[in-house]
Amino acid sequence: MLDRNRQHQIAGPGHGQTLSADLYYDGAQNYSPYGRDPAEQDTGFNPLKLLFYVVQYRWLIVTMAAAGLVAGIVITMLQTPKYQATTQLEVLVPSAKVFQDIEVVAENADVRAFLTAREKLRSRALAQRVVFQLGLSEKPDFLFPTADFSLSNIFYRAFGISKSPSVEEKTPEQREAIAIGRVLKDLTVNLVPNTSLLSITFADQKPKYASDVANQVAQSFIDQRLDQTSETSDLARQFIQEQVLQVKQKLQKSEEELVAYAKDAGITVTGDDKSLIGSNIEALNTALATAIQDRLDAGRMVDQIDKGRGSSLAPVLESEGLQKLSEKLADLTSQYQQKLGILKPGFPEMQQLQSQIRELKRIYNNGVLAITDSLRLKYQEAQNKEADLKTKLAEMEKQQVIFNDKNIKYTILKREVDSNRSQYDSLIAKLNEVGVSSELKTQSAAVVDFAAQPSSPYSPVLSRNLAVALALFMALSASIIYIIELLNNTFTNPEQVEKELGLAMLGILPFVNDRELAASIADQKSGLSEAYRSLRTSLQFSGAEGAPRSLLVTSSEPSEGKSTTSFKLGQDFAALGARVLLVDGDLRKPNLHRILGLDNTIGLSNLLTNTVRKEDLASIFRPTKYPNVTVLTSGTIPPNPADLLSSPKMALILTNLGKRFDLVIIDAPPVVGLSDSPILSRLAEGTLMVISTNQVTRKSAKTALKRLRAAGANVVGAAMSKFAVNKFDYNYAYKYMNYQYYSYGMSTPKIEGRVDDAAGQPAYGKSPAFSHLVRRIRSGVGGFLDRAKSIS
């Protein structure tokens, strides 16, 4: 966008006044902001496009490469030098004779022997032997080496200052474990292909340790094999027997201490390692569960009795006596009913039957009552039993808590007994396995080449660190470039407009420095004027019948150059002899009257509101200094622009104007945030979208186009404004659009790139690459702030 505060002179139309160059672009008007969306990336790999990315961001790539080289040097300085020495050991596998079932079988050497030797060389037992032979557990510089990667390495290399921890800070067992771990960590054993040699390599910060440990590993391996073969079974048995006696004494002592403590503490343990209290608690829980079940069963029966259904209970129905009484009572009742049809109830026989029935009922009820009373008594007993069991269980749980406190020491003593018993059983098993055997004392390995003390470190390698750091920083620069391109959600070239919006590109309007904008608009031979004539030609072929009779010029956001486009199209169509009417349809922030240097006293709004006198109707359409160009300004700014533009009178006015003029060009307000342009687009035969380069977001342009099409607009195409044709980036394909080509051989100064920000402040004297980077960073930050505002 152009700077509205810098005044550049251009002749006004017939009023002798000068206009600022910023009038030819829309001002930075306060329309509603719209959200931004990350730009969609092109699919497919394009080597040429990648090359221009490299050229465009060459300074960033060079800077990151330099930083990578510096980082490689710094990392090398931070690493501690390490030395390594290698000993070669030959594994001798002589043919042995093994007796198997009184038969002699020859055992040939194979790869398994070498793999076994390699694993033994890397075993912990051999490392422990090496530590003991060299006394490594008592050497602080071996136990506590300098960190492989530390800032202190720089000071050590510069001043030779180093500090090793004291060995007294660790116990002997801890020092031995640390030394064994260091040996195993830095030891490497590999089989030399197609040979019987093993290479033993050890790396350390001290060259002496590197060679000593490598040689000692080989020697300890040989000594270990010799010791194993030289030991006789008698010596082994004698040693194991001594160990058995010692462990047996420890086992007896630990068992006596365990029994004595259990006796003093009153701890009784069952055969399955459970305490008596625990067994009792388990039994009480089982009994309590049974009691609760019995109480619930009895409670359900008592509940039936309380509800008056005691006679239907199972114990009542299963009682043989009550069943007999019930059958006899039913029989007497049946006799009474049969005789009731013959005899009256007052007859002696009938009264006798009644008295028998009553007596049987009384006896039956008493029997039922006796059973229900027994059930109630059983329920009460179940409740009492449950309560007693709960009380007893609570007491046992308290005893269990006390027992657990005592059981802690008991468990410790028992663990010691179990450990001693396990050792005793293991030694007895080994003693039983030892047999009398004899074996020749043969050497199974020999050192071929002892390790020499290295004179130079093998790590760090400066070249390797430089290569890795350079690769990482190049990857980081690629990520930064990718993020910058991702945040750049604006349009940079016409292909993006055609791909994202699906609109035909009717014209590409080159960017002109605001200091030369006024002169370029006035000069009909300038590159900008030629671009507008090219746009006019494209509009003439945009439809089957040529250019639309009424053309709406709009944009997604303010300051994209739609007013300038409306003015120049009207001027260029009028040059062909067409009668052109320019209508300023922006009733909120009109700008067309400023470009033409006219006042805005009356205009379209007055015509729509009937606030213009009949004698002034003719003067509302003002001629300009340009032949065949008439203008209808916006007029007084109304409080309800959308209502006026959507009224039937607006459609009637445009229809009548279309009959009087060959072409009606409507300068409309931006689409985003307003409803004016969609309303006017329905009334025009065609709509032209002006899209500014590196300014309007793709999301805003898509939303604007969607709104226009939803309103029924006929969008004939798009014009890309502020296109910097001399920038060495994606616009390389449009390099033919330079001013030397458009200006017909005229000598015009070369236009430098320029950065547009939201306030329209130009930045002069900056390189195009830097300006493009700043513009993309600002666009990305602006998108982030817009998204943050929308979320809040």
Side-chain angles (χ1 to χ4, degrees), residues 81-83 141-142 156 162 203-211 454:
K82 298 188 71 174
Y83 300 82
D141 53 349
F142 182 82
Y156 173 73
S162 64
D204 194 84
Q205 297 175 5
K206 303 289 185 181
K208 180 174 175 53
Y209 286 147
S211 58

Side-chain angles (χ1 to χ4, degrees), residues 178 195 272 274 333 374 494 544 596 639:
I178 293 173
T195 66
D272 54 353
K274 291 184 179 179
T333 303
S374 66
L596 295 172

